[in-house]
Amino acid sequence: MLPRLLLAHRLLAGAAAPLPRRRTAAAMSAAAPGTRLLRGVVFDMDGTLTVPVIDFPAMYREVLGGDEAYAAARAAGGGSVDILHCIEGWAPDEQRRAYEVIARFEQDGLDCLQIMPGASELCGFLDAKQIRRGLITRNVKTAVDLFHQRFGMMFSPALSREFRPYKPDPAPLLHICSTWNIPPNEVVMVGDSLKDDVVCGKRAGAFTCLLDETGRYGPHDSLPEDVRPDFKVSSLSEVFSVLEEHFDLAPVVSESRI
C-alpha cells in the first residue's frame, strides 16, 4: 500500500515521467476511432450508478443553519456548495452535528436506493471486454457496501469519503490508477458532477464523461474549458457508444504501464 501511495504522491507532484498529452473533446471527434487505449473506467456512485434520491439543498440548509447561510455558501462557491469542504474548519462539536445531519439524509437515501438504468448492462459490457471498474464517491463506506450487496456488482477499488483527500482532488483517482498499474490517460472517469467528477478526472489526466440526464448543464460546447468533459451523455446507455467509437478497448495486461 505504501509504495502505491508514494506513487500517487509522485504523480500529484509531477515527479513521474510525463504522460502522453490528451486530446481536447473537439480534437477527439476528428481523430480516427480506436486510437486511444482504454483499460479502466471509474464511476461516481450517487446520481451515476444509482438514481439520485437525496435532497441535497434541504441537507445543505439544515447543516448550514437555514436559507440565508445556504445562499451565502452558494454565492461563495460560484453557485454550488461543497458541504464537506464547508465544515472542515468547524469546531469538533459543530462538525459532529453536521455529520449527523448528513448521515441522516444519506440513510434516507439508502432506504430507497435504486440502480441507474443501464448500469448493470454497462458493467457486463466492461467485464466482457476485461476493462477494470472502479468507484469513487463522497458518500460513506456503508453506502458503498450496501450498493455492492444489493445490486451484486463489485467495483475495485471502491473509495468512499473515508479516503482523503476526496473529489475533486485527483488523489483518489490516481490511487486507483496506481493500484491497477494503469496510467490515467488509459482511464475514463464517469460522473454526474462537473465540479467533483469531471474536475477530479481532468486534474488526474484521465478522460472524462459527464452524465447529464436532465440537461441541467446545457450544451457541451457551452461549458467552461476548465470543466468541459471530453464526452457528455444523457444516459449510461450512451456510454457504450462513446467507448466503442472513441477507444481501443484493450484488456488489462499484467505488467505495469506507469
Side-chain angles (χ1 to χ4, degrees):
M1 177 62 73
L2 182 57
R4 289 172 178 163
L5 291 177
L6 289 174
L7 176 56
H9 176 74
R10 290 183 61 213
L11 285 169
L12 281 165
L19 295 170
R21 186 174 180 177
R22 297 195 297 113
R23 298 177 175 87
T24 64
M28 288 177 62
S29 63
T35 57
R36 308 163 204 91
L37 295 178
L38 179 69
R39 289 182 167 81
V41 179
V42 178
F43 294 89
D44 168 56
M45 190 176 77
D46 299 302
T48 302
L49 292 172
T50 61
V51 176
V53 293
I54 297 176
D55 187 344
F56 286 103
M59 181 176 74
Y60 297 160
R61 288 186 182 93
E62 185 170 344
V63 169
L64 295 170
D67 291 342
E68 188 173 330
Y70 174 53
R74 278 177 55 86
S80 62
V81 176
D82 186 335
I83 197 65
L84 298 180
H85 177 73
C86 285
I87 66 180
E88 278 184 344
W90 291 7
D93 288 346
E94 293 176 316
Q95 280 192 346
R96 188 177 306 109
R97 181 198 64 81
Y99 281 120
E100 287 174 356
V101 172
I102 293 171
R104 173 161 47 82
F105 274 86
E106 289 176 338
Q107 184 58 54
D108 291 343
L110 292 180
D111 292 341
C112 51
L113 194 66
Q114 300 177 52
I115 193 73
M116 185 70 80
S120 180
E121 294 81 1
L122 180 56
C123 289
F125 170 80
L126 295 174
D127 290 347
K129 296 291 186 178
Q130 300 181 50
I131 303 297
R132 293 271 179 87
R133 292 190 281 112
L135 185 152
I136 303 173
T137 179
R138 286 159 60 102
N139 209 321
V140 292
K141 183 178 183 298
T142 302
V144 176
D145 293 341
L146 179 61
F147 171 80
H148 283 157
Q149 295 166 8
R150 183 171 296 181
F151 302 114
M153 54 180 74
M154 300 297 296
F155 293 78
S156 180
L159 304 182
S160 59
R161 71 164 170 259
E162 286 81 1
F163 183 97
R164 299 293 185 93
Y166 34 68
K167 299 181 296 184
D169 194 287
L173 183 51
L174 291 172
H175 173 78
I176 289 178
C177 291
S178 67
T179 300
W180 285 345
N181 290 325
I182 299 174
N185 67 335
E186 294 182 5
V187 171
V188 173
M189 178 74 204
V190 180
D192 69 320
S193 170
L194 281 181
K195 68 181 181 68
D196 292 331
D197 305 315
V198 172
V199 170
C200 173
K202 291 174 77 72
R203 288 178 178 175
F207 291 100
T208 54
C209 182
L210 175 68
L211 174 62
D212 185 8
E213 284 194 298
T214 62
R216 64 178 174 135
Y217 288 113
H220 180 268
D221 291 342
S222 71
L223 298 174
E225 180 64 32
D226 60 334
V227 295
R228 187 180 302 162
D230 295 300
F231 307 99
K232 183 173 176 289
V233 298
S234 60
S235 70
L236 286 181
S237 299
E238 292 181 28
V239 178
F240 287 93
S241 298
V242 167
L243 299 184
E244 289 189 309
E245 292 175 9
H246 295 278
F247 293 94
D248 175 10
L249 304 180
V252 177
V253 292
S254 58
E255 69 270 14
S256 170
R257 295 184 57 85
I258 295 182

